[in-house]
Amino acid sequence: MTVEKTTTNDSDLREFGYSSSLKRTLGSFHTFAAGISYISVLTGTFQMSYLGISQGGPAYWWGWPLVFIGQLMVALSFAELSGKYAVAGSVYNWTKKLANPHIGWLAGWMMLLASIVSIAATALAYQKTLPQIWEGFQIIGGTHPSPTQDSANGVLLATILIVFTTVVNAFGVKLMARINSTGVFIELVAAVLLIVLLLFQAVRGPSVVTETHNTGAGYSSGYLGAFLVAIIASSYVMYGFDTAASLGEESLNPRKNAPKAILRSLIASFVLGGLIILFALMAVRNINAPELGSVGLQYVLTDALGPWIGRVFLAASFIAITVCVLAVHTAAIRMAFAMARDNALPAGSKLATVSNKFGTPIVPAVVIGVLAVALLVLNVGQPQIFSAVTSLAVILIYISYLLVTVPMLIARIRGRWSSKREPGRFSLGKFGFIVNLLGVVWGIAMVINLAWPRNEIYNASPPYHWYLQWMAVIFVVGAAGIGFAYYWFVQRHKTGILAAHAAGTDAVEDENLEKEGK
């Protein structure tokens, strides 16, 4: 990379007042892989399919295209932002530009919490997959575990995975990118092969997605009530596409690659995931099998493809889960780093320190891993840990995204956002306003739906407690209120770009040029 290209890539950093602290080593496939591994269709569709089918029957499939359309509006807005500002901690820094540092801090804080919860929630997918491959992975409870033992075993497996992703992220972005890209390649190949095999094993037509299994009987609004619960299974999968932009400071030509990676990762995930769910419902021998509502698509693999072939694809799902948690962990580290170099977090100087040897912030990698494990341990005795923790992660993500799209919409209304197409940058042009507006409406609707205190999600099985049913509201309001109160009364008086990361810090810039071989 020439000095001229380095100057172009780092112009965004200087606009934010930062010097270059991270090494640019990631190519276009690396950024695409980061986005698609965060979304990870083989993780999300398999982990949450049991919820969709049990709550909405096969017709829950229609939530997949609905969520895609809504999230596409958000992704298009993000693509426009990433073409203009490709910096670490994308959501945090974008909101700082669009609104003010205070709202920017809240967006970053909610996204950081969302990422930590997402690490915990996604790592729990091991429990839905590994015991299906080999019974020996059911370490706690044996072959017939109780619900409490099942959740405890899930916490154990998830903890092992989080330790792995912590170590990999601590050893640098190159190692992370190699593992992530390899895992994504395997996931994409496996997804295509799975689609083909399920299609050839189909025993019924696509009209299966019109069957509701009478799941709306217990709702005053009929099937709509059931569908609004079931749609959570789809909303869990299609987010995290902003990861490509959050790695902007480590990417080559991020203004060009980040917008493409955001959109390609979402579209590819929609197509592959939608076909997997559809063909799985067409291929399962007994569409009324109770295992569909308790195990999910993992059951379909062994039922339709046989135990050995099914286990091969479950192994591919295991790889997908691994790189998904790795990508989520990576994105969380960049968010913590971005906020810390503004001294917007406690111990900011330590969290923003980049290792000279590995070229990555090691301290936030460890801290985030510890917090994710702690969240799991706190919920170890709760049988509803899967749906509850997952829903918390999705709510926080949607709120974080709203804290970007709403200020962006306000900026458009006030004429502070140019719709003029600039050469070499992704732009929505005259369609920007309507796309942005639809993204905001979608985000608000989904936050309300996800946070609704439903027994089916937050209090589905014993022990029944009112605070479990209201967990989403309590957690989100508490996290936002306590976090912002701390920032407002304590941390905001200390904020300001740390000297080691400020633009014009010649020693830092010279050191990074030397690292890149200039």
Side-chain angles (χ1 to χ4, degrees):
M1 182 170 56
T2 65
V3 174
E4 181 182 355
K5 286 184 178 179
T6 301
T7 301
T8 300
N9 285 337
D10 292 342
S11 62
D12 291 335
L13 295 180
R14 290 195 300 274
E15 185 174 344
F16 280 88
Y18 304 133
S19 62
S20 177
S21 302
L22 304 170
K23 294 188 291 185
R24 294 190 182 275
T25 58
L26 306 182
S28 59
F29 184 77
H30 292 134
T31 54
F32 164 74
I36 203 167
S37 62
Y38 196 129
I39 298 174
S40 189
V41 291
L42 288 187
T43 300
T45 55
F46 279 77
Q47 183 181 9
M48 297 303 294
S49 56
Y50 81 95
L51 178 67
I53 295 171
S54 64
Q55 298 299 321
Y60 101 93
W61 180 87
W62 290 103
W64 192 259
L66 177 62
V67 170
F68 167 71
I69 293 171
Q71 289 297 79
L72 181 60
M73 300 300 103
V74 178
L76 285 167
S77 298
F78 280 15
E80 194 168 36
L81 280 164
S82 68
K84 189 174 179 64
Y85 308 118
V87 292
S90 50
V91 167
Y92 164 68
N93 275 313
W94 290 343
T95 307
K96 270 171 49 182
K97 277 288 184 184
L98 293 168
N100 58 58
H102 308 314
I103 297 178
W105 186 92
L106 184 59
W109 171 247
M110 298 300 281
M111 191 67 183
L112 183 57
L113 285 179
S115 299
I116 294 171
V117 177
S118 290
I119 292 170
T122 308
L124 285 171
Y126 263 9
Q127 180 60 21
K128 292 291 183 180
T129 302
L130 290 182
Q132 299 292 320
I133 298 175
W134 178 49
E135 291 181 352
F137 285 116
Q138 187 65 45
I139 302 167
I140 301 174
T143 55
H144 300 289
S146 68
T148 301
Q149 290 173 324
D150 197 58
S151 68
N153 195 73
V155 169
L156 175 62
L157 296 177
T159 298
I160 295 170
L161 173 55
I162 293 169
V163 170
F164 170 75
T165 61
T166 300
V167 172
V168 170
N169 272 300
F171 274 90
V173 72
K174 280 189 175 181
L175 177 61
M176 182 282 299
R178 290 193 189 103
I179 295 174
N180 190 59
S181 296
T182 302
V184 165
F185 178 78
I186 294 172
E187 180 177 6
L188 291 175
V189 171
V192 172
L193 289 175
L194 180 59
I195 288 168
V196 173
L197 289 176
L198 287 173
L199 177 61
F200 278 101
Q201 294 297 317
V203 296
R204 65 184 61 81
S207 61
V208 66
V209 297
T210 63
E211 298 181 20
T212 66
H213 286 180
N214 200 33
T215 49
Y219 295 88
S220 59
S221 56
Y223 185 69
L224 176 61
F227 183 74
L228 289 176
V229 179
I231 199 176
I232 293 174
S234 300
S235 64
Y236 171 66
V237 185
M238 285 182 275
Y239 68 84
F241 37 78
D242 57 294
T243 305
S246 200
L247 291 170
E249 292 180 35
E250 295 153 277
S251 304
L252 304 173
N253 199 3
R255 288 183 178 179
K256 178 181 178 181
N257 291 330
K260 290 180 179 179
I262 288 172
L263 297 176
R264 286 172 179 172
S265 60
L266 179 62
I267 293 170
S269 299
F270 162 68
V271 173
L272 294 174
L275 291 176
I276 288 173
I277 298 171
L278 173 62
F279 293 158
L281 292 171
M282 292 167 58
V284 66
R285 297 295 181 261
N286 178 11
I287 195 64
N288 296 305
E291 291 86 351
L292 282 175
S294 59
V295 178
L297 295 187
Q298 291 91 331
Y299 167 74
V300 179
L301 293 185
T302 54
D303 177 67
L305 303 180
W308 289 106
I309 296 178
R311 284 191 179 96
V312 170
F313 284 102
L314 285 173
S317 178
F318 155 73
I319 294 172
I321 295 166
T322 303
V323 295
C324 178
V325 175
L326 182 60
V328 178
H329 202 149
T330 301
I333 293 167
R334 272 56 190 177
M335 179 60 67
F337 167 78
M339 298 181 71
R341 69 180 168 188
D342 283 350
N343 204 29
L345 292 175
S349 60
K350 293 185 181 298
L351 291 171
T353 298
V354 177
S355 168
N356 290 329
K357 183 176 181 180
F358 301 114
T360 190
I362 294 178
V363 175
V366 175
V367 171
I368 288 166
V370 170
L371 290 175
V373 171
L375 179 62
L376 290 173
V377 172
L378 286 173
N379 289 276
V380 69
Q382 301 296 339
Q384 55 268 62
I385 186 173
F386 297 102
S387 60
V389 174
T390 296
S391 298
L392 286 177
V394 182
I395 294 166
L396 291 169
I397 288 286
Y398 274 78
I399 291 174
S400 304
Y401 285 1
L402 274 173
L403 288 170
V404 177
T405 54
V406 169
M408 189 179 190
L409 182 63
I410 293 173
R412 291 183 190 278
I413 293 172
R414 294 179 175 176
R416 293 191 289 107
W417 182 267
S418 175
S419 60
K420 181 181 178 181
R421 295 183 181 274
E422 299 180 41
R425 292 189 183 183
F426 179 86
S427 175
L428 295 172
K430 62 183 180 181
F431 298 103
F433 178 81
I434 187 62
V435 168
N436 195 168
L437 177 61
L438 290 174
V440 169
V441 172
W442 163 256
I444 293 173
M446 284 306 296
V447 166
I448 294 172
N449 184 50
L450 289 163
W452 203 264
R454 298 184 178 93
N455 284 327
E456 295 83 358
I457 299 298
Y458 300 105
N459 212 12
S461 56
Y464 297 107
H465 298 296
W466 69 267
Y467 55 82
L468 291 176
Q469 184 173 344
W470 287 87
M471 180 190 295
V473 176
I474 294 171
F475 185 88
V476 171
V477 173
I482 295 172
F484 194 76
Y486 171 82
Y487 163 77
W488 188 260
F489 293 109
V490 179
Q491 200 65 38
R492 75 182 177 100
H493 303 294
K494 306 174 184 178
T495 56
I497 300 173
L498 297 173
H501 297 277
T505 306
D506 295 335
V508 174
E509 294 181 353
D510 290 345
E511 180 183 350
N512 281 285
L513 287 174
E514 183 179 344
K515 287 179 183 177
E516 294 174 11
K518 305 297 181 295

